[in-house]
Amino acid sequence: MKKIDMLTPIGILIGISMVVFGVISSGGMSGFLAFIDVPSILIVLGGVFGTLCVSFPLKQLKNVGRVGKQAFQSKEINVEEIVGTFVHLSEKARREGLLSLEAELEQIDDSFVKKGILLAIDGVEPEMIRELLEAEIAAVEERHTRGRSMFEKAGDYAPAWGMIGTLVGLVLMLKSLNTPSSLGPNMAIALLTTFYGALLSNLFFQPIAAKLAGKTEHELFVKEVIIEGVIGLQAGQNSRFVQAKLKVFAPVEKRKLEEKREHVREA
Amino acid sequence: MKKIDMLTPIGILIGISMVVFGVISSGGMSGFLAFIDVPSILIVLGGVFGTLCVSFPLKQLKNVGRVGKQAFQSKEINVEEIVGTFVHLSEKARREGLLSLEAELEQIDDSFVKKGILLAIDGVEPEMIRELLEAEIAAVEERHTRGRSMFEKAGDYAPAWGMIGTLVGLVLMLKSLNTPSSLGPNMAIALLTTFYGALLSNLFFQPIAAKLAGKTEHELFVKEVIIEGVIGLQAGQNSRFVQAKLKVFAPVEKRKLEEKREHVREA
Amino acid sequence: MKKIDMLTPIGILIGISMVVFGVISSGGMSGFLAFIDVPSILIVLGGVFGTLCVSFPLKQLKNVGRVGKQAFQSKEINVEEIVGTFVHLSEKARREGLLSLEAELEQIDDSFVKKGILLAIDGVEPEMIRELLEAEIAAVEERHTRGRSMFEKAGDYAPAWGMIGTLVGLVLMLKSLNTPSSLGPNMAIALLTTFYGALLSNLFFQPIAAKLAGKTEHELFVKEVIIEGVIGLQAGQNSRFVQAKLKVFAPVEKRKLEEKREHVREA
Amino acid sequence: MKKIDMLTPIGILIGISMVVFGVISSGGMSGFLAFIDVPSILIVLGGVFGTLCVSFPLKQLKNVGRVGKQAFQSKEINVEEIVGTFVHLSEKARREGLLSLEAELEQIDDSFVKKGILLAIDGVEPEMIRELLEAEIAAVEERHTRGRSMFEKAGDYAPAWGMIGTLVGLVLMLKSLNTPSSLGPNMAIALLTTFYGALLSNLFFQPIAAKLAGKTEHELFVKEVIIEGVIGLQAGQNSRFVQAKLKVFAPVEKRKLEEKREHVREA
Amino acid sequence: MKKIDMLTPIGILIGISMVVFGVISSGGMSGFLAFIDVPSILIVLGGVFGTLCVSFPLKQLKNVGRVGKQAFQSKEINVEEIVGTFVHLSEKARREGLLSLEAELEQIDDSFVKKGILLAIDGVEPEMIRELLEAEIAAVEERHTRGRSMFEKAGDYAPAWGMIGTLVGLVLMLKSLNTPSSLGPNMAIALLTTFYGALLSNLFFQPIAAKLAGKTEHELFVKEVIIEGVIGLQAGQNSRFVQAKLKVFAPVEKRKLEEKREHVREA
């Protein structure tokens, strides 16, 4: 189930609001226009885009939109639900045999879980199941790392292009110092590319790369839990052990709650 | 037992005092007002907050307060007490059997120790005990690393937002150079965001992240000692060996003292 | 099959266009001449070249052209074709024996695949096959890393030489401040080396190193797939398992398509 | 045997002399006073101290003096002496049995060597000896790393506090630009904190951390040699093999000398 | 066979020529004198030397000359010759037995090869041979890393001392702003230390450290090849397998040539 990760656009909005607020609070509404300079923003964005073209293959560059979009989406992967599923399945498998799980497969959405259980039912050796699923995890990780690296590089190059733009402005300004009255405004325009570079890097590229990294980490982690579940399932491990092992991964707060309930029950 | 880690607020106070002292010593009390500029501080804090919203998922951001609070608290985990507990328990286990430890469980506060001993009493295989407890440690470490990373990122972004704010101020100032008398004061205000960004990063975010890292490391280390203790306990290892192995982890000074005492006794 | 990787020259062109556009948009055509200063560019390029001479052995420096050219070429290595080849070969090997593969060898272009299959046919032990082929991969990786490191170092040194050039200009300018009218233009020239250093580093050296790294990674990855294929082939693994394992490595989109087709077929 | 590591104070003296020389050579004796500004140095040192308080627990901060002192001391650990000891002991052990080593123990100063040999005499299994001694090494390493990290952090924070101090000075100066005559001197004072921060970081904190790292590395290396010696001793390894293996670790020059001597003897 | 690595002095010469060219092209011959300021260069070199004294033990500092000299020398280690030697020896060993190699020893120059073969002849177990030779490699690596680290640290500290010198100059200059005519020249002198620091770091210390790293890597790599050769030799491995395995390490061009020749021969 894909939902919108509202926090990403909200965060960008907050950042932009801060800049706008800063401009208006010290320069008024009229000062606002000083920050909109289309050539400057084109130089920074164009320069970064050119650099990315040199840095990455076409196949990867074409994904930049799809990868970036993921920072605005949130896949709801509920670890506890998955743990619950495996506890349930391992109980059933111990009672009625592994083959009985075939009937349960239709209710499972996650294709990775499905694949794992199918391999277990097919009687593939645990070593091979682990090998196949780990290979899939490694491939997912590599794909994500590669996609994310475009945003990381853009975060590195944006300030550099900001500086290149400012150097262009400075050289032109210094060359014609004979009109000192235009010194200030020209310098202001020269600084705009540095400003755009810093803003793009620190509000877009770097934070989006960070969010993508977090999402990848979570996804890989869930997949690791699933592998443990599948292996435990096939080995016919005690469902209590499976639960204990998988429950470790559940977030703290929930566990505290459960422990408290257990205390109450024990008392 | 949670106590306040006085050093964190004291350190922040010392840092702020140094700044105040610097301001007053060269600018007098009147200079002090030049450093309080609400819009500037809002830009830096707001910008950092916006960037964090883009960088992290909501679930994690909500923890920022709880994580930060830990830098102001000190959990008293006494390694020697734990070593003592295990030496005592391993002696008892060798005399009266592992099951006799059940009676001791009530006097143990630490839930991790309790869990480990329960697993040992239940006769779970050492491999599995280690696996379960190591998984718990890994999960704790991951949780802490993730929490701390918010402060690390804030420490990275604060100076960047300080620079963005200063660039905004500079551009506005340079645009209207026709009033040279206001040049200095405007420049002063422009520099304030850089000042706030540097102060927030170097006195709050980075050091708090460092303290959290230290606390995590200590906690993980204690948990590793406990695992060794539980495994040794179950294996019925000689209490002297358990002691020797665990004592390695005790701080130097204490050990030196003990060694001296032993020398005295030997003499 | 070597084709031109158009993206590399296109990216460099885009970057240069942005600079030209920036110059013209704020300085007009006449401003353009201010950015062409042969001595400045000679200082930066010559300095970087001198530093590379100190940093690397002659044998490696002589390769700089050949290595750099690779960033402008794209080897078409089709992973799926290789997977297909191995699925086909493993079926044949199971039906007609490993020796039957000898006839297929002529149709295989890739010398690494050929070498692997020859070793398999010769009945060399799987351990040794893996050892030999992994050694070859390691040697390739080392060779590429070494070649790439020249561009990485150049990317580090170019801004440093830009700064050295600017310092030379600044010192000369400041020494003769008695002619204030020449202050601006001299400062402009002094900044040119910094400009060249930044442009060379951020548009050439660093991105080219990034592209080379991507190409190396892909090549090594393909070679790893081939090793798995060869080993599976010799072990007489089920072609379905070989396919499942190798298919993991195929790009996402294709796999999604295939899965959809399977759904259709199943329905 | 602890001696003073004269190089540490000599190096600091050389560094300070260079600064003094630079001041006098271009500013004369009168210029010297411009560099002594107690508030500035208090801000930098106080700020760094405050930051360290936030960053580290009290237990560790209290060690800062003891840790720093080690950079001024040199423990004479003679690897060759240790190798000689083990060659001697392994010969004796092979002739007269392990128990005969008990008489030799009194002549050994190093408590780590003593401990290892005692474990060997006690007939503790090699695995356990290694485990115990490695655990001790790991604990020593962790303790040293933690102690050193205070100097590393101080080396990071000192320039940052230098900049904070300079920003304070700049803001105050710019606010009151109406007295242009005081501009220069005020700016000079503002720069002093940056100067102190750079000097403290590059002449004290960072180099001391480097020296501590070197000492730790050497100590751990010696301890590793000792473990190899103890294990070899107990296994009754040929003293020639023990010697060959341990001699590898001796410094180059000595070995060259020995080899030459052997050549002479062979001739 | 030690030869001079001409590239190191040539590279330094090129770098210095670029600076001289830059000075003359924009300042003429008279400008040249502005860059020779003995106190400035003394401050940077002296400061770096002081810092190195604090950072390293005496034993290591005394080697700085010997280590630096290695960047100007090139040891001719011919991998192919070594591969050839081992192919030859392994054939002889299979025909006439390992002991027959004793006669060959005199023709081998490399002491590491000699040592390895002697161990093989003596019938030392392969595990132990590998252990002894790997220990020697590790010791060589550590020694080189330590030697190189002096140049790396000098490369870090030189710009820092350049900045310290410039700060000294700036503070002195700003203090006496009442003589504005001397402003420029004083500022020029202040910048000289920054210039020296940048030049020393980017033309000497860092590139020399890079060259030393390359030489070390190559030497270790050759030693690894030798270990594989010795082990293969003793195990009586087929000389073709030894050759195949070692040939992997030969440079690309040569291998391509050989492959072409083979194609020709096959045709």
Side-chain angles (χ1 to χ4, degrees):
Chain A
M1 235 52 55
K2 281 183 190 179
K3 293 202 299 187
I4 292 177
D5 183 343
M6 286 307 292
L7 224 56
T8 309
I10 286 175
I12 292 174
L13 217 74
I14 292 174
I16 291 176
S17 310
M18 287 305 119
V19 172
V20 171
F21 165 70
V23 171
I24 289 172
S25 78
S26 70
M29 285 305 285
S30 70
F32 198 66
L33 290 170
F35 286 88
I36 295 166
D37 186 56
V38 178
S40 295
I41 201 148
L42 276 179
I43 291 169
V44 176
L45 279 179
V48 169
F49 178 66
T51 308
L52 291 183
C53 285
V54 183
S55 302
F56 295 101
L58 184 59
K59 225 165 74 183
Q60 204 168 326
L61 269 183
K62 282 196 292 200
N63 285 340
V64 73
R66 206 166 52 78
V67 171
K69 224 173 62 187
Q70 284 167 15
F72 293 83
Q73 287 173 345
S74 82
K75 280 193 213 156
E76 288 285 302
I77 317 177
N78 197 328
V79 182
E80 279 154 87
E81 210 182 290
I82 286 170
V83 172
T85 304
F86 276 104
V87 168
H88 167 69
L89 293 174
S90 71
E91 272 165 12
K92 185 159 186 187
R94 282 166 71 93
R95 272 200 323 270
E96 311 172 25
L98 265 171
L99 289 177
S100 71
L101 299 184
E102 204 139 27
E104 305 272 337
L105 276 175
E106 276 174 33
Q107 285 153 30
I108 295 165
D109 285 329
D110 191 300
S111 72
F112 192 75
V113 177
K114 223 174 197 161
K115 192 175 192 175
I117 294 174
L118 261 172
L119 286 166
I121 294 176
D122 282 2
V124 179
E125 285 169 54
E127 290 308 291
M128 269 188 183
I129 294 182
R130 193 181 283 277
E131 208 180 325
L132 272 174
L133 297 182
E134 291 281 3
E136 179 134 357
I137 287 185
V140 166
E141 185 172 17
E142 218 230 274
R143 226 145 40 214
H144 285 209
T145 304
R146 232 189 291 137
R148 189 171 65 241
S149 72
M150 287 185 290
F151 286 86
E152 285 165 354
K153 286 273 178 200
D156 287 350
Y157 289 133
W161 276 95
M163 196 184 85
I164 289 172
T166 296
L167 283 168
V168 166
L170 276 179
V171 168
L172 287 173
M173 182 190 91
L174 289 165
K175 209 195 53 162
S176 52
L177 267 189
N178 36 14
T179 51
S181 69
S182 68
L183 191 79
N186 281 343
M187 182 80 190
I189 290 169
L191 281 179
L192 276 183
T193 54
T194 293
F195 168 74
Y196 290 137
L199 200 62
L200 281 169
S201 177
N202 288 290
L203 188 54
F204 292 83
F205 298 135
Q206 286 188 53
I208 282 177
K211 179 151 279 179
L212 291 172
K215 284 184 196 294
T216 299
E217 204 184 312
H218 184 62
E219 194 181 331
L220 296 181
F221 162 73
V222 168
K223 282 192 167 25
E224 288 287 355
V225 173
I226 291 168
I227 291 184
E228 292 308 321
V230 170
I231 300 292
L233 193 70
Q234 199 193 29
Q237 274 175 1
N238 193 318
S239 69
R240 252 189 71 200
F241 180 72
V242 169
Q243 183 170 28
K245 196 158 158 206
L246 298 185
K247 220 170 66 181
V248 168
F249 301 112
V252 207
E253 303 81 45
K254 294 254 160 119
R255 272 165 63 211
K256 286 220 171 124
L257 266 174
E258 285 175 34
E259 278 164 24
K260 273 183 197 152
R261 270 185 231 131
E262 276 176 42
H263 279 288
V264 174
R265 248 177 293 158
E266 279 169 12
Chain B
M1 234 55 52
K2 282 185 190 179
K3 295 202 297 188
I4 293 177
D5 182 344
M6 285 307 292
L7 223 56
T8 309
I10 286 174
I12 291 174
L13 217 73
I14 292 174
I16 290 176
S17 310
M18 286 305 119
V19 172
V20 171
F21 164 71
V23 171
I24 289 171
S25 78
S26 70
M29 285 305 286
S30 70
F32 198 66
L33 290 171
F35 287 87
I36 295 166
D37 185 56
V38 179
S40 294
I41 201 148
L42 276 179
I43 291 169
V44 177
L45 279 180
V48 169
F49 179 66
T51 307
L52 291 182
C53 286
V54 183
S55 302
F56 295 101
L58 184 59
K59 225 164 73 181
Q60 204 169 325
L61 269 183
K62 281 197 292 199
N63 284 341
V64 74
R66 207 167 50 80
V67 171
K69 225 173 61 187
Q70 283 167 16
F72 293 84
Q73 287 173 345
S74 82
K75 281 193 213 157
E76 288 286 300
I77 317 178
N78 197 331
V79 181
E80 280 155 86
E81 209 182 290
I82 287 171
V83 173
T85 304
F86 275 104
V87 169
H88 168 69
L89 291 175
S90 71
E91 273 165 14
K92 185 159 185 188
R94 281 165 72 92
R95 273 200 322 270
E96 311 173 27
L98 264 171
L99 289 177
S100 70
L101 300 184
E102 203 139 27
E104 305 272 337
L105 275 176
E106 274 173 34
Q107 286 153 31
I108 296 166
D109 285 329
D110 191 299
S111 71
F112 192 74
V113 178
K114 223 174 196 160
K115 192 174 191 176
I117 295 174
L118 260 172
L119 287 166
I121 294 175
D122 283 3
V124 178
E125 286 169 53
E127 289 308 291
M128 267 188 182
I129 294 182
R130 193 181 282 277
E131 206 180 327
L132 273 174
L133 297 182
E134 292 281 4
E136 178 133 358
I137 287 185
V140 166
E141 185 173 16
E142 217 230 273
R143 224 143 43 213
H144 285 209
T145 304
R146 231 188 295 137
R148 190 171 65 242
S149 72
M150 288 185 289
F151 286 86
E152 286 166 352
K153 287 272 179 202
D156 287 350
Y157 289 133
W161 276 95
M163 195 184 85
I164 289 173
T166 295
L167 283 169
V168 167
L170 276 179
V171 168
L172 288 173
M173 183 190 90
L174 289 165
K175 210 196 53 163
S176 53
L177 267 190
N178 36 13
T179 52
S181 69
S182 68
L183 191 78
N186 282 342
M187 181 80 190
I189 289 169
L191 280 179
L192 277 183
T193 53
T194 294
F195 168 74
Y196 289 138
L199 201 62
L200 281 170
S201 177
N202 288 290
L203 188 54
F204 291 84
F205 298 134
Q206 286 188 52
I208 282 176
K211 179 151 278 179
L212 291 172
K215 284 185 196 294
T216 298
E217 204 185 312
H218 184 62
E219 193 180 330
L220 296 181
F221 163 73
V222 169
K223 282 192 165 28
E224 290 287 354
V225 173
I226 291 169
I227 291 184
E228 293 307 320
V230 169
I231 300 293
L233 193 70
Q234 201 193 27
Q237 274 176 359
N238 192 316
S239 69
R240 253 189 70 199
F241 180 72
V242 169
Q243 184 170 28
K245 195 157 158 208
L246 298 185
K247 220 170 67 180
V248 167
F249 300 112
V252 207
E253 303 81 48
K254 293 254 161 118
R255 273 164 63 211
K256 286 220 172 125
L257 266 174
E258 284 175 35
E259 277 165 23
K260 274 183 196 153
R261 269 184 233 132
E262 275 176 44
H263 279 287
V264 174
R265 249 176 292 159
E266 278 168 13
Chain C
M1 234 53 54
K2 281 182 188 179
K3 294 201 299 187
I4 292 178
D5 183 343
M6 286 306 293
L7 223 56
T8 308
I10 287 175
I12 292 175
L13 216 74
I14 293 173
I16 290 177
S17 310
M18 287 305 119
V19 172
V20 171
F21 165 71
V23 171
I24 290 173
S25 78
S26 70
M29 285 305 285
S30 69
F32 198 65
L33 290 170
F35 287 87
I36 295 167
D37 186 55
V38 178
S40 295
I41 202 149
L42 276 179
I43 291 169
V44 176
L45 279 180
V48 169
F49 179 66
T51 307
L52 291 183
C53 285
V54 183
S55 301
F56 295 101
L58 185 58
K59 225 165 72 184
Q60 203 169 326
L61 269 183
K62 280 196 293 200
N63 285 340
V64 73
R66 206 167 52 79
V67 171
K69 224 173 63 186
Q70 284 168 15
F72 293 83
Q73 288 173 344
S74 81
K75 281 193 213 157
E76 288 286 300
I77 317 178
N78 197 329
V79 181
E80 277 155 87
E81 211 182 289
I82 286 171
V83 173
T85 304
F86 276 104
V87 168
H88 167 69
L89 292 174
S90 71
E91 272 165 13
K92 186 162 186 185
R94 282 165 72 91
R95 272 200 321 270
E96 311 172 24
L98 264 171
L99 290 177
S100 70
L101 300 183
E102 205 139 28
E104 305 272 339
L105 275 176
E106 275 173 34
Q107 286 155 29
I108 295 166
D109 286 328
D110 191 300
S111 71
F112 193 75
V113 177
K114 224 173 197 160
K115 192 176 191 174
I117 295 174
L118 261 171
L119 286 166
I121 295 176
D122 282 2
V124 178
E125 286 168 51
E127 289 308 292
M128 269 186 183
I129 293 182
R130 193 181 283 276
E131 208 179 324
L132 273 173
L133 297 182
E134 292 281 4
E136 178 133 356
I137 287 185
V140 166
E141 184 172 17
E142 217 229 275
R143 224 142 44 212
H144 286 209
T145 304
R146 233 190 290 138
R148 190 172 64 241
S149 71
M150 287 185 290
F151 287 86
E152 285 165 353
K153 287 272 178 201
D156 287 350
Y157 289 133
W161 276 95
M163 196 184 86
I164 289 172
T166 296
L167 283 168
V168 167
L170 276 179
V171 168
L172 288 172
M173 183 190 89
L174 290 165
K175 209 196 53 161
S176 52
L177 267 189
N178 36 13
T179 51
S181 68
S182 68
L183 191 77
N186 282 341
M187 182 79 191
I189 291 169
L191 280 180
L192 277 183
T193 54
T194 293
F195 168 75
Y196 291 137
L199 201 62
L200 281 169
S201 176
N202 288 290
L203 188 54
F204 292 82
F205 298 135
Q206 286 187 53
I208 282 177
K211 179 151 279 180
L212 290 172
K215 284 185 197 291
T216 298
E217 204 185 314
H218 185 62
E219 193 181 330
L220 295 181
F221 162 73
V222 168
K223 282 192 167 26
E224 289 288 355
V225 173
I226 292 169
I227 291 184
E228 293 308 321
V230 170
I231 299 292
L233 193 70
Q234 200 193 31
Q237 275 175 1
N238 193 316
S239 69
R240 254 190 69 200
F241 180 70
V242 168
Q243 183 171 29
K245 196 160 160 203
L246 298 184
K247 220 171 66 183
V248 167
F249 301 112
V252 207
E253 303 82 45
K254 294 254 161 119
R255 273 166 62 211
K256 285 218 172 127
L257 267 175
E258 285 175 34
E259 278 165 23
K260 272 181 198 155
R261 270 185 232 131
E262 276 175 43
H263 279 288
V264 173
R265 248 177 293 157
E266 279 169 12
Chain D
M1 235 54 53
K2 282 184 188 179
K3 294 202 298 189
I4 292 177
D5 182 344
M6 285 306 293
L7 223 57
T8 309
I10 286 174
I12 292 174
L13 216 74
I14 293 173
I16 290 176
S17 310
M18 287 304 119
V19 172
V20 170
F21 165 71
V23 171
I24 289 171
S25 79
S26 69
M29 286 304 286
S30 69
F32 197 68
L33 289 170
F35 288 86
I36 295 166
D37 186 56
V38 179
S40 294
I41 202 150
L42 277 179
I43 290 169
V44 176
L45 280 180
V48 170
F49 179 66
T51 307
L52 291 182
C53 286
V54 183
S55 301
F56 295 101
L58 185 58
K59 225 163 74 182
Q60 203 169 325
L61 269 183
K62 280 196 293 200
N63 285 341
V64 74
R66 205 166 53 78
V67 172
K69 225 174 62 188
Q70 283 167 17
F72 293 84
Q73 287 173 345
S74 81
K75 280 193 215 158
E76 288 286 301
I77 317 178
N78 197 330
V79 181
E80 279 155 86
E81 211 183 288
I82 286 171
V83 173
T85 305
F86 276 104
V87 169
H88 168 69
L89 292 175
S90 71
E91 273 164 13
K92 185 161 186 187
R94 281 165 73 93
R95 273 200 321 271
E96 311 173 26
L98 264 170
L99 289 178
S100 71
L101 300 182
E102 203 138 28
E104 305 272 338
L105 275 175
E106 275 173 34
Q107 286 154 30
I108 295 165
D109 287 329
D110 190 300
S111 71
F112 192 74
V113 178
K114 224 173 198 161
K115 191 175 190 176
I117 295 174
L118 261 172
L119 286 166
I121 295 176
D122 283 2
V124 178
E125 286 169 52
E127 290 307 292
M128 266 185 183
I129 294 183
R130 193 181 282 277
E131 207 179 327
L132 273 174
L133 297 181
E134 291 281 4
E136 179 134 357
I137 287 184
V140 166
E141 185 173 16
E142 218 229 274
R143 221 139 49 209
H144 285 209
T145 305
R146 232 189 292 135
R148 189 172 65 242
S149 72
M150 288 185 289
F151 287 86
E152 285 165 353
K153 287 273 178 199
D156 287 350
Y157 289 133
W161 277 95
M163 196 185 86
I164 289 173
T166 295
L167 283 169
V168 167
L170 276 179
V171 168
L172 288 172
M173 183 191 89
L174 289 165
K175 210 196 52 164
S176 52
L177 266 190
N178 35 15
T179 52
S181 69
S182 68
L183 192 77
N186 281 342
M187 182 79 190
I189 290 169
L191 281 180
L192 277 182
T193 53
T194 293
F195 168 74
Y196 290 138
L199 201 62
L200 282 170
S201 177
N202 287 290
L203 188 54
F204 291 83
F205 298 134
Q206 286 188 53
I208 282 176
K211 180 150 277 180
L212 291 172
K215 284 184 196 292
T216 298
E217 205 185 312
H218 184 62
E219 193 181 331
L220 295 182
F221 162 73
V222 169
K223 283 193 166 25
E224 289 287 352
V225 173
I226 291 169
I227 291 184
E228 293 307 320
V230 169
I231 300 291
L233 193 71
Q234 200 194 28
Q237 274 176 359
N238 193 317
S239 69
R240 253 190 69 199
F241 181 72
V242 168
Q243 184 171 27
K245 195 159 158 204
L246 298 185
K247 220 171 66 182
V248 168
F249 301 112
V252 207
E253 304 81 46
K254 295 255 161 119
R255 273 165 63 209
K256 285 216 172 128
L257 266 175
E258 285 175 35
E259 278 165 24
K260 273 182 197 154
R261 269 184 234 133
E262 275 176 43
H263 279 288
V264 174
R265 247 177 294 157
E266 278 169 12
Chain E
M1 234 54 53
K2 282 183 188 179
K3 294 201 299 188
I4 292 177
D5 183 343
M6 286 305 294
L7 224 56
T8 309
I10 286 174
I12 292 174
L13 216 74
I14 293 173
I16 290 176
S17 310
M18 287 305 119
V19 172
V20 170
F21 165 71
V23 170
I24 290 172
S25 79
S26 69
M29 285 304 285
S30 69
F32 198 66
L33 290 170
F35 286 87
I36 295 167
D37 186 56
V38 178
S40 295
I41 201 150
L42 276 178
I43 290 169
V44 176
L45 279 180
V48 169
F49 179 66
T51 307
L52 291 182
C53 286
V54 183
S55 301
F56 295 102
L58 185 59
K59 226 164 73 184
Q60 204 168 326
L61 269 184
K62 280 196 293 200
N63 285 341
V64 74
R66 205 166 53 78
V67 171
K69 225 174 61 187
Q70 284 167 16
F72 293 83
Q73 288 173 345
S74 81
K75 280 193 213 158
E76 287 286 299
I77 317 179
N78 197 329
V79 181
E80 279 155 85
E81 210 182 289
I82 286 171
V83 172
T85 305
F86 275 105
V87 169
H88 167 69
L89 291 175
S90 70
E91 273 165 12
K92 186 162 184 184
R94 282 165 72 92
R95 273 200 320 269
E96 311 173 26
L98 263 170
L99 289 176
S100 71
L101 300 183
E102 204 139 27
E104 304 271 339
L105 275 175
E106 275 173 34
Q107 286 155 28
I108 295 165
D109 286 329
D110 191 301
S111 72
F112 192 75
V113 177
K114 223 173 198 160
K115 192 175 190 174
I117 295 174
L118 261 171
L119 286 166
I121 295 175
D122 283 1
V124 179
E125 287 169 51
E127 290 308 292
M128 267 186 183
I129 294 182
R130 193 181 282 277
E131 207 179 326
L132 273 173
L133 297 182
E134 291 280 5
E136 179 134 357
I137 287 185
V140 166
E141 185 173 15
E142 218 230 275
R143 223 140 47 211
H144 285 209
T145 304
R146 233 189 291 136
R148 189 172 65 242
S149 71
M150 288 185 289
F151 287 85
E152 284 166 354
K153 287 272 177 201
D156 288 349
Y157 289 133
W161 276 96
M163 195 184 86
I164 289 173
T166 296
L167 283 168
V168 167
L170 277 179
V171 168
L172 288 171
M173 184 191 88
L174 289 165
K175 209 196 54 164
S176 53
L177 267 189
N178 36 13
T179 52
S181 68
S182 67
L183 192 77
N186 282 342
M187 182 79 191
I189 291 169
L191 280 180
L192 277 183
T193 53
T194 293
F195 168 74
Y196 290 138
L199 201 61
L200 282 169
S201 176
N202 287 291
L203 188 53
F204 292 83
F205 298 134
Q206 286 187 53
I208 282 177
K211 180 151 277 179
L212 290 172
K215 283 183 197 292
T216 298
E217 204 184 314
H218 184 62
E219 194 181 330
L220 296 181
F221 163 73
V222 169
K223 282 192 167 25
E224 289 287 354
V225 173
I226 291 169
I227 292 185
E228 294 307 320
V230 170
I231 300 291
L233 193 70
Q234 202 194 28
Q237 275 175 0
N238 193 317
S239 69
R240 255 190 69 199
F241 180 71
V242 168
Q243 184 171 27
K245 195 161 159 202
L246 298 184
K247 220 172 65 182
V248 168
F249 301 113
V252 207
E253 303 82 44
K254 294 255 161 119
R255 272 165 62 211
K256 285 216 173 130
L257 267 175
E258 285 175 35
E259 278 164 23
K260 273 181 197 154
R261 268 184 235 134
E262 276 175 44
H263 279 287
V264 173
R265 248 176 294 158
E266 279 168 12

